[in-house]
Amino acid sequence: MGELQLGVTTVTMGRLKDLVDTSYKIAVEKGWHEESRSISALTLLMQSEVAEVIEEYRKHKGVGEIWYEVHHDADGCHFSMKGEPGDKPCGIPVEIADFVIRVADYCGKCSIDLEANYEKTPVPDQTIDFEECLARINYAVSQAWAVAVPGTEFWLAMAVKYAFRMADAYDIVLWDVIDEKTAFNRTRPYRHGGKRI
């Protein structure tokens, strides 16, 4: 992939706060907070989104490419490049959006002000490659799990800042993708059809 320059990404005041509120509300409505889930489980779910980015990258998917899962049947999944209402968006930009949504849900559950922490969390402007950026996101999440609050919010904000900056470097309008995936999440069944965590 080569190197990418992490540029300055501005997050409009109120957007992250709204995302935290919305993501947590949807998770509650879908049954994800009816039973206690450990901090370990919640951070592993964040890391699973990073792993999904890596899997799409390994398959040589374009960093900005989005496609849609139309439906499942006996023959497997069927995909389209043009999404219709109810189709599941897929691809690297969507997995990055899923990561940010997972962090936002966690912040809602734990009453963490993600936006305030995002604004004050520095991320060095330096040139790194795609893989290193993902590794840094994953590292920040692992630190969020390992340290006690108040350190958690610093590491989560840093991970989100890296996600937005990586998206910016590849001309992904991450807020648009987050909005699209959030809309899809509203249509999903209770606990996504019975998943454990």
Side-chain angles (χ1 to χ4, degrees):
M1 277 273 166
E3 295 183 332
L4 61 111
Q5 182 67 39
L6 296 178
V8 176
T9 300
T10 302
V11 172
T12 306
M13 294 303 291
R15 285 296 310 258
L16 279 175
K17 181 185 181 317
D18 289 346
L19 180 64
V20 167
D21 294 344
T22 299
S23 298
Y24 180 65
K25 180 181 176 189
I26 291 171
V28 168
E29 288 170 357
K30 300 301 178 181
W32 292 115
H33 294 294
E34 288 178 0
E35 299 171 6
S36 179
R37 292 191 292 174
S38 69
I39 300 303
S40 297
L42 294 170
T43 53
L44 283 168
L45 288 168
M46 291 176 212
Q47 289 177 313
S48 75
E49 301 300 347
V50 177
E52 290 180 22
V53 173
I54 294 165
E55 286 305 311
E56 295 301 326
Y57 174 69
R58 289 182 70 209
K59 295 175 188 173
H60 302 278
K61 299 293 186 180
V63 174
E65 184 181 0
I66 297 176
W67 67 95
Y68 298 86
E69 182 180 300
V70 178
H71 64 276
H72 284 82
D73 61 23
D75 296 325
C77 293
H78 300 272
F79 298 96
S80 168
M81 294 307 290
K82 182 178 184 289
E84 299 293 337
D87 293 350
K88 179 182 178 183
C90 303
I92 288 174
V94 178
E95 301 305 342
I96 297 169
D98 278 339
F99 168 76
V100 175
I101 291 167
R102 288 263 187 213
V103 173
D105 172 40
Y106 178 92
C107 290
K109 174 184 172 26
C110 297
S111 300
I112 293 172
D113 187 340
L114 180 60
E115 187 168 281
N117 285 283
Y118 182 96
E119 291 297 323
K120 66 185 181 184
T121 302
V123 175
D125 283 333
Q126 56 185 320
T127 304
I128 61 174
D129 68 17
F130 184 81
E131 295 158 19
E132 185 176 345
C133 194
L134 285 176
R136 288 179 185 218
I137 291 169
N138 203 49
Y139 175 79
V141 173
S142 68
Q143 292 303 300
W145 171 82
V147 301
V149 173
T152 300
E153 57 267 316
F154 168 83
W155 289 106
L156 291 177
M158 180 168 281
V160 169
K161 188 163 275 191
Y162 269 114
F164 271 97
R165 288 188 171 194
M166 183 170 65
D168 184 54
Y170 286 97
D171 298 320
I172 298 167
V173 183
L174 191 53
W175 279 117
D176 289 351
V177 184
I178 288 170
D179 290 344
E180 182 176 16
K181 188 59 194 292
T182 297
F184 175 77
N185 287 345
R186 291 182 193 281
T187 71
R188 300 190 85 164
Y190 177 84
R191 292 181 72 95
H192 299 183
K195 289 185 178 175
R196 179 177 292 182
I197 60 172

